[in-house]
Every structure is written in C-alpha cells, then in structure tokens.
Amino acid sequence: MSLFSKLFGGDKEAEETAKSLLKSIFGNQNESKPETKPEYEDEPEAAPVNNASDDSDYEAPSGFSWGDKMPAEENQYNFNGTFKQYFENIFSTEFAAYRCEKAENYGRVAYTLYGAAGKAIVVELMPGKSESKKLRKQCEAEGTPYVRFYYNHEGWWNTKEYVIQRMKEKIRG
C-alpha cells in the first residue's frame, strides 16, 4: 500500500491528483517525501571564476581585494586549484613556521595555526551566506586571534596580500 493510498483511503482520483501536484512541484521523484538539502550541509567547492577584465590597463593595487574587476594579483579565483588549496598554499609558504591543523564542518573549514607559544590564530573559511558565529565566539572566549574569509562572496577576491595582511594583524607568536 502506497503512502497516497493510506492518505486518501483508496480514492484513486485524489491519489493521482496528489501525485501530479507533487511531480509539478518537485519534478520526477518517487512517492516518498522529497529529499531536501539541509541549509548547513557541505556545499561543493566554489569553482574558480575568471572575472578578469579584458581591459589590460586595469591594475589593482596589492592588497586590493574587492570590487567588480578581478585584480591582477594572485587571488583565490586565478589560483590553479581550489579555494582550500589556495589558502593552504599561503599558510605553507607565508606562515611556514606555524603548524597547521584543518577541521571541516558544514561547508566551513577552520585552520588552526600553532606557534611556539601555542595556538597562534584560527582562520575560518566559510560560504558568503553563512552567518555562523560559534567559532568566532569560542576564539574570543579563549583569547585566540580569529580571522574569517568568505570563499564565495561575489566581488571579494581574497588576494594574497590581503589574506597575509589580515592574518599578520591578528596573529600572535
């Protein structure tokens, strides 16, 4: 006995109407409840977007990390790899003296860098639509420096100098 048979007590016309309505709303899915994606579920990595202008005269100053045109400086979108690889590359080259640990949860990635004195900084990468403040509040309570970068916010490029500068402003030995 199908779900609709149970709901409509064998009324075939009502059952077919309900099935038709569900198909028009959800497409060709089975009779079971349509699978919905939780808001917090991991999202696929943002594909690199090349928003570089054809205007070769455009030169973005170092550290300029937002705007309509992609800066010429290395950033997460012109890097040959994923946004995670981009940030990990910065950590391994510019912050090589620090040990780095990575934790992923619900579309967010948190990197904790450790120096000789312990936890030096927490860097959180998250989607632009996320408003989670849990890790930031936890770091604040611990007295641990924290910085956040959005990896898919339109017009925010996360240029290399911008990322380095923000981290250096917060980091502790």
Side-chain angles (χ1 to χ4, degrees):
M1 184 177 262
S2 75
L3 173 66
F4 291 114
S5 296
K6 290 178 185 176
L7 288 173
F8 298 107
D11 183 347
K12 292 286 186 193
E13 187 176 325
E15 187 175 338
E16 290 304 315
T17 302
K19 284 181 184 179
S20 175
L21 178 62
L22 281 176
K23 276 186 180 180
S24 69
I25 294 171
F26 298 108
N28 292 332
Q29 295 187 7
N30 60 24
E31 293 178 12
S32 64
K33 179 182 174 192
E35 187 176 322
T36 57
K37 181 178 177 183
E39 186 177 317
Y40 56 84
E41 187 174 302
D42 284 350
E43 296 179 6
E45 292 185 6
V49 176
N50 187 356
N51 289 334
S53 169
D54 290 335
D55 181 5
S56 58
D57 295 336
Y58 181 76
E59 288 284 331
S62 180
F64 183 78
S65 197
W66 51 88
D68 293 335
K69 294 181 181 180
M70 181 187 295
E73 181 183 349
E74 182 179 2
N75 64 73
Q76 77 175 60
Y77 294 101
N78 64 15
F79 178 78
N80 188 21
T82 67
F83 72 92
K84 292 176 197 174
Q85 292 168 333
Y86 171 71
F87 282 93
E88 289 167 5
N89 181 59
I90 291 174
F91 302 153
S92 67
T93 58
E94 302 297 323
F95 300 93
Y98 297 89
R99 179 174 55 87
C100 183
E101 289 183 5
K102 174 180 166 182
E104 296 186 54
N105 195 11
Y106 302 121
R108 295 183 298 276
V109 185
Y111 296 91
T112 305
L113 278 63
Y114 294 90
K119 205 184 276 192
I121 191 169
V122 173
V123 179
E124 187 173 30
L125 309 179
M126 57 194 328
K129 67 181 181 182
S130 179
E131 295 181 11
S132 176
K133 296 176 183 140
K134 182 178 180 181
L135 182 57
R136 181 173 63 188
K137 287 181 180 181
Q138 179 184 348
C139 289
E140 196 175 277
E142 294 173 351
T144 302
Y146 169 91
V147 66
R148 167 186 293 180
F149 297 99
Y150 294 104
Y151 61 76
N152 66 349
H153 196 286
E154 186 175 340
W156 292 13
W157 305 104
N158 291 323
T159 58
K160 187 173 183 177
E161 276 307 309
Y162 174 73
V163 171
I164 293 168
Q165 178 186 352
R166 285 197 57 211
M167 288 180 64
K168 283 184 175 179
E169 286 172 0
K170 300 269 185 169
I171 207 164
R172 65 174 185 212

